[in-house]
Amino acid sequence: MKCYVIFSPHCSPCDIKELLCSSSNIARNTAILLIDSEGAMISIDPTMPANTPNNLYKVMPHSTNQGGGMETIKEDMFQNVLSQVAEQFSRAFRINELKTEVTNRLAMLEKRVELEGLKVVEIEKCKNDLKKLRDEMTSRGGVRVNCNCKYNFTDDGKKLSPRRDVPSYPKYTLSQETIEALKKPTFDVWHWEHNEMLSCLEYMYHDLGLVKEFNINPITLKRWLLGIQENYRDNPFHNFRHCFCVSQMMYGMIHLCNLQERLTMTDMCILMTAAVCHDLDHPGYNNTYQINARTELAVRYNDISPLENHHCAVAFQIISMPECNIFANVEPDSFKQIRQAIITLILATDMARHGEILDSFKQKVDNFDFTNEEHVKCLKMVLIKCCDISNEVRPTEVAEPWVDCLLEEYFIQSDREKSEGLPVAPFMDRDKVTKPTAQIGFIKFVLIPMFETVMKLFPQIEEIMVQPLRDSRDHYEELKQIDDAISGLVSRMQIRRCKFQKG
C-alpha cells in the first residue's frame, strides 16, 4: 500500500513516527523502521531526504524475530551512527580552517581601514566589523587583541597593561606649522595631550619612510604606540611625555644633521625606536636605589644597569605580541640585528657609562667615517644620550618645568631612602639642593662637553642646540648669585639680631 506523509521541518522525530504509524495502520508507540529500496535504514527526523517514485520508503515494525534481515538492518543502523559521529568529528576539526578564514577576513578589513580616501561612513563600518571579528576570535579562543604586557615590582606591585584597542585614539591632521615645528628643538612638548603625542609619533614614522621601508602595517603601528604609551608610568619625570620629548628631539636631530643622507633607513628605525622605548616602565627610582635596596630588578640583572635592561625587556615583550609587532615583515636575520642595536642604544642611556661612551666618541670624531660600523654605532649611542638629557636645549619656558619634575622625582626617592636607612645623594636631597645648584654642574660638565663634541661632526647644531645650553648655564649661574646674595643678607641680619639681643 502506498501512502503520502507530509510534515513540517519543525516537527519532532516522535511526531513524524506517529504520522508514519497512522498512515501505515500500525499501532501508535510501535517501534518502526524506515527502509529505502536498497534495504538501507533511513533516520527518522525532519532532515531526512524525501523519497522518489524510484526509491520508495517502507515502514516496518521493529521486531526482534526477523532473523538475518534484522541483523542487516541493525548493522546498517550502526554504520549510520558511525557516519554521523564521523561527520561531527569532521566539523570539529574544521575549526582551524574557520579561524584561518576569520583571520584572513580580519586582515582584509584592516587593509581597508589603512587605505587613504575611505569615506567616514566606510571607516566606521570597518571599525564595527573589526570589533565583531575580534569578539568572534576571542570567543573561539583565538589570538589575543590586547597587549598583556604586565610587570610587577617588589616596591609597589604595580601592574601595567594597555587598556585600549585600535583605532581608539582620534586621527589628528597635523597642520603645516606643527609639522615644521616637530623638526626643531624649540618644539613645546607641554601643549599636547597623550592622543596628540601618539599621532605625532605616528606621523614621524611615516614621514621618515619607516612604514614603507619596513612594510609596517599602519594598524599595527597604532597598536604598538598604544602599547608603548600604556607601559610608561605616571611618574613626575620619567613618563610618556618624557618619552615623546626624547623621540621628538631625535626626530629633530635627524633632520637638523641631515642624517637621512648619511645613515641607512635601518639606522633611522633603530634611533627612533630606541628613543620611543628607552624608559619603558620606569618605576621612578634610579639604578642607585635599585642596587642599594636590592630590588627584584637589581637581583635579576646582577646590579648591571637594572633599569635599562628592564626597559629593553619590556620593549621587546611588547613587540613579541603579534598585534604589536612592527617588525613582523622584517627578515629574521635583519630583525636580530635591529634588536641588538636597539638594546645597545637603550643600555647606553645609563649615565654610569657616560664617560666611557663620550671618551670613545671623542677618539673617533676627528676622523669620523660613516662607512665604519663601529663609528656609526658609537655615534648612535651618543645621539640617544643627547636626546635623553636634552631638555636644557629647549627654550627656558619649556625646559624649566622639566627641572621641577625631575627634582620632585628625586625628592620622592631621597625621602624613601631616608626612611629605609639607605644612602642619599646630595643632589637629590630636598634639604641640600636648589634648582640652580642642581643644573649648573650638570650643564657645565655633562651637557656642554657632549654637545660640543657632537658639534665637531655637525657644526650646524651650534646655534640651535649648543648656544641655548650656554645661555641656560648663564641663567642658572645668575640665579645662584641671587640666591647666594639673599642667603648672605639673611645671615648678616640674623647675626645683627643676635648681637642686638645680647646688647
Side-chain angles (χ1 to χ4, degrees):
M1 180 182 66
K2 297 182 180 179
C3 59
Y4 296 92
V5 176
I6 300 175
F7 52 87
S8 166
H10 303 293
C11 287
S12 68
C14 291
D15 294 336
I16 298 173
K17 287 179 181 178
E18 286 192 10
L19 287 172
L20 292 173
C21 287
S22 298
S23 65
S24 303
N25 295 321
I26 299 174
R28 291 180 61 188
N29 299 325
T30 300
I32 61 173
L33 297 173
L34 193 62
I35 309 299
D36 67 10
S37 59
E38 296 179 356
M41 187 186 69
I42 306 299
S43 174
I44 302 175
D45 60 64
T47 63
M48 66 183 181
N51 60 0
T52 64
N54 297 326
N55 183 23
L56 297 175
Y57 293 168
K58 295 181 181 180
V59 180
M60 299 175 57
H62 184 276
S63 172
T64 57
N65 298 321
Q66 294 184 13
M70 286 307 302
E71 290 300 325
T72 302
I73 292 172
K74 288 181 181 179
E75 183 178 350
D76 290 340
M77 184 187 298
F78 180 69
Q79 291 296 331
N80 187 51
V81 171
L82 282 180
S83 298
Q84 292 183 18
V85 171
E87 182 179 356
Q88 292 298 324
F89 271 105
S90 176
R91 290 178 181 175
F93 286 126
R94 283 202 296 271
I95 189 68
N96 288 333
E97 297 176 8
L98 178 60
K99 286 185 179 180
T100 301
E101 180 184 351
V102 171
T103 301
N104 291 337
R105 287 170 59 199
L106 177 61
M108 290 175 63
L109 286 168
E110 288 181 340
K111 193 67 177 177
R112 286 173 57 195
V113 174
E114 52 182 89
L115 289 176
E116 294 293 337
L118 279 177
K119 296 179 181 178
V120 174
V121 175
E122 292 175 328
I123 293 176
E124 290 302 320
K125 183 180 182 301
C126 286
K127 291 178 181 178
N128 292 333
D129 290 345
L130 283 170
K131 185 177 185 303
K132 290 178 182 177
L133 283 171
R134 289 191 184 93
D135 293 342
E136 182 179 349
M137 290 181 70
T138 302
S139 66
R140 296 179 184 276
V143 181
R144 289 173 294 179
V145 176
N146 290 327
C147 173
N148 299 312
C149 187
K150 300 179 180 179
Y151 299 93
N152 295 321
F153 279 84
T154 54
D155 53 3
D156 60 8
K158 185 169 182 177
K159 295 181 179 180
L160 294 158
S161 65
R163 295 182 293 276
R164 296 177 289 172
D165 199 7
V166 176
S168 64
Y169 62 87
K171 174 68 176 178
Y172 292 93
T173 301
L174 304 182
S175 67
Q176 191 59 39
E177 181 183 3
T178 299
I179 290 174
E180 292 304 316
L182 270 176
K183 300 175 183 178
K184 301 174 182 178
T186 53
F187 187 81
D188 191 343
V189 297
W190 295 106
H191 289 172
W192 303 83
E193 299 296 332
H194 280 185
N195 286 339
E196 295 171 316
M197 290 188 282
L198 285 168
S199 288
C200 287
L201 289 171
E202 185 182 353
Y203 170 80
M204 294 175 196
Y205 270 74
H206 281 278
D207 180 60
L208 292 173
L210 302 180
V211 174
K212 182 178 180 181
E213 176 71 18
F214 296 96
N215 194 17
I216 301 173
N217 185 325
I219 299 296
T220 303
L221 178 63
K222 287 176 177 286
R223 284 201 194 97
W224 175 69
L225 288 172
L226 277 173
I228 293 294
Q229 188 242 312
E230 294 290 352
N231 279 286
Y232 271 93
R233 299 196 184 196
D234 294 328
N235 299 315
F237 184 90
H238 291 99
N239 49 40
F240 180 64
R241 193 174 299 277
H242 169 67
C243 155
F244 175 71
C245 192
V246 174
S247 302
Q248 184 273 323
M249 186 62 73
M250 180 65 78
Y251 177 72
M253 290 196 75
I254 288 173
H255 283 282
L256 180 61
C257 301
N258 298 317
L259 294 181
Q260 288 172 293
E261 298 177 4
R262 304 191 180 194
L263 300 180
T264 66
M265 289 295 287
T266 299
D267 290 326
M268 299 296 101
C269 184
I270 290 166
L271 286 169
M272 287 301 303
T273 306
V276 170
C277 299
H278 83 284
D279 268 335
L280 272 168
D281 201 35
H282 195 297
Y285 299 88
N286 67 15
N287 280 332
T288 300
Y289 174 84
Q290 303 295 327
I291 294 169
N292 288 340
R294 300 176 184 175
T295 65
E296 176 188 343
L297 285 182
V299 173
R300 182 183 304 156
Y301 296 112
N302 303 309
D303 295 348
I304 301 172
S305 303
L307 287 182
E308 289 73 24
N309 274 293
H310 180 61
H311 304 326
C312 293
V314 177
F316 285 98
Q317 185 68 20
I318 295 172
I319 290 174
S320 72
M321 305 293 175
E323 61 272 22
C324 296
N325 186 4
I326 59 174
F327 299 117
N329 296 318
V330 175
E331 292 295 325
D333 288 344
S334 298
F335 172 71
K336 185 177 180 181
Q337 295 176 0
I338 291 172
R339 167 178 155 80
Q340 187 55 57
I342 291 173
I343 291 172
T344 297
L345 264 59
I346 295 177
L347 292 179
T349 62
D350 183 356
M351 286 303 294
R353 299 181 57 201
H354 176 77
E356 161 209 336
I357 294 171
L358 185 57
D359 287 344
S360 176
F361 184 64
K362 286 179 177 179
Q363 294 172 9
K364 300 174 176 63
V365 70
D366 290 331
N367 298 292
F368 195 87
D369 182 2
F370 280 96
T371 64
N372 186 308
E373 289 186 10
E374 283 301 314
H375 284 209
V376 172
K377 174 182 174 182
C378 189
L379 171 63
K380 289 187 292 187
M381 293 168 72
V382 171
L383 287 174
I384 195 170
K385 285 177 59 60
C386 287
C387 296
D388 188 24
I389 54 177
S390 63
N391 288 327
E392 291 301 331
V393 169
R394 301 180 187 273
T396 303
E397 64 273 15
V398 179
E400 197 156 346
W402 280 116
V403 182
D404 296 325
C405 293
L406 185 60
L407 289 178
E408 181 183 352
E409 196 167 295
Y410 280 173
F411 295 159
I412 292 173
Q413 175 174 322
S414 61
D415 290 345
R416 183 166 183 169
E417 287 170 331
K418 291 175 184 178
S419 68
E420 294 178 358
L422 299 174
V424 178
F427 69 89
M428 300 179 73
D429 191 336
R430 68 172 72 245
D431 299 323
K432 297 179 181 178
V433 71
T434 64
K435 191 183 294 187
T437 58
Q439 290 302 98
I440 291 173
F442 187 68
I443 296 172
K444 287 176 66 174
F445 302 114
V446 177
L447 290 178
I448 290 179
M450 181 167 64
F451 277 86
E452 285 183 340
T453 304
V454 175
M455 187 178 70
K456 293 181 179 180
L457 193 59
F458 305 109
Q460 61 267 42
I461 74 168
E462 180 172 16
E463 179 182 355
I464 300 176
M465 304 186 81
V466 179
Q467 189 55 46
L469 288 175
R470 296 166 180 160
D471 294 340
S472 180
R473 173 199 59 197
D474 296 341
H475 167 69
Y476 283 112
E477 285 183 338
E478 289 176 4
L479 289 181
K480 185 177 183 302
Q481 290 176 1
I482 294 172
D483 287 348
D484 291 345
I486 292 174
S487 297
L489 180 60
V490 170
S491 297
R492 288 194 295 273
M493 290 178 65
Q494 289 175 343
I495 293 172
R496 289 177 182 176
R497 185 181 296 113
C498 292
K499 289 181 178 179
F500 177 78
Q501 289 174 349
K502 289 179 180 179

